[in-house]
Amino acid sequence: MSSEGGAFHSSNLFSPITTSLSPNRMNATQIDRARIESLVRRAIAGGLGTSSASRPDIGLSHDPPGWVDGKPNLRVSISARHVHLTDEHVEILFGAGSVLEPDKDLYQDGFYAAKQTVMIVGPRRRMLPSVRVLGPTRGASQVELAFTDSISLGIDAPVRHSGHIDGTPGCVLVGPVGSVQLEQGVIRAARHVHMNYFDADHFGVSNGDMMQLKVTSHECTTVFDDVLVRADEAAKLEVHIDTDEGNACFLDGASKVELTKGGCGCHQ
């Protein structure tokens, strides 16, 4: 299955320029049929022993998170360079007793851009000033950069999925009160798509699968493979690509986006 339309957003941490496309609409008959087919698939999955904890709530009386008019509403966002911090590092960088202060809510519920920023210092004192911190805090601090950012800092940052930081390079983070030497945690974030279990059922994918994103732009149409599915109960359908990828496909000028299961798409 594929999803077309949706919204495209870029920002400095999800930037100021926004272009929206209205999603395709379904009539009531199509919605009922889609939901009936979805219920049947889930019932079959249940008969095969699928844990109810990994399947959507069949009794849902309203649209799942992020859905519009009975179908998933695809959103593609540019995730600019940013930092995730532990509670300990927040206090070291911003002072004892400091906590992250939300400044702007992100599209995914419970996540936000904080008021706090840090300076990232790489080898030979190359630096990026005022890099936004995202909340909430995590169990390990992590720096997410685009390829051009890593070149600017002189850091050979590998492409990794969030949280997979073993063996990655480190850097120095500088805040208004103190500094932190990260021994590891600098990555180029691999492209991925957040979705809930209803979205996953709609596309016929599971957490950890790979999908394909096609961005149609004037003389700049681009296809991105290896889009990792990150599914949970509450997520809304949103693809994250970095600034280099967003610029390469001219996301801000895109006329259509399509998300499909990985592979050639010939069986979709």
Side-chain angles (χ1 to χ4, degrees), residues 120-121 141-145 150 153 155-160 164-165 167-173 182-189:
I120 301 175
V121 182
S141 291
Q142 176 177 294
V143 175
E144 297 186 26
L145 305 172
S150 63
L153 283 171
I155 297 176
D156 186 15
V159 177
R160 292 284 185 90
H164 297 185
I165 60 174
T168 59
C171 67
V172 174
L173 301 179
L182 294 184
E183 298 302 324
Q184 61 180 15
V186 181
I187 65 171
R188 292 163 52 197

Side-chain angles (χ1 to χ4, degrees), residues 162-240:
S162 184
H164 297 185
I165 60 174
D166 288 348
T168 59
C171 67
V172 174
L173 301 179
V174 180
V177 173
S179 63
V180 171
Q181 171 73 58
L182 294 184
E183 298 302 324
Q184 61 180 15
V186 181
I187 65 171
R188 292 163 52 197
R191 61 189 75 110
H192 56 275
V193 54
H194 294 280
M195 64 174 63
N196 57 60
Y197 294 130
F198 285 91
D199 296 321
D201 185 62
H202 173 85
F203 287 105
V205 297
S206 301
N207 186 58
D209 286 350
M210 291 294 180
M211 301 189 74
Q212 184 182 83
L213 175 72
K214 180 179 180 180
V215 179
T216 302
S217 301
H218 179 62
E219 296 186 343
C220 202
T221 295
T222 306
V223 175
F224 295 104
D225 290 320
D226 303 323
V227 180
L228 178 73
V229 173
R230 295 172 61 178
D232 59 44
E233 283 189 43
K236 291 178 280 190
L237 186 62
E238 182 183 28
V239 174
H240 283 171

Side-chain angles (χ1 to χ4, degrees), residues 1 18 21 33 35 42 57 59 65 67 84 88 99 105 118 146 157 160 167 193 212 214 217 233 255 257 260 268:
M1 287 187 175
T18 299
L21 295 179
R33 179 177 178 181
R35 287 190 171 175
R42 286 197 289 273
D57 180 4
W67 282 38
H84 299 282
E88 176 188 6
V99 296
D105 289 334
V118 297
R160 292 284 185 90
V193 54
Q212 184 182 83
K214 180 179 180 180
S217 301
E233 283 189 43
S255 59
V257 293
T260 60
Q268 302 301 319

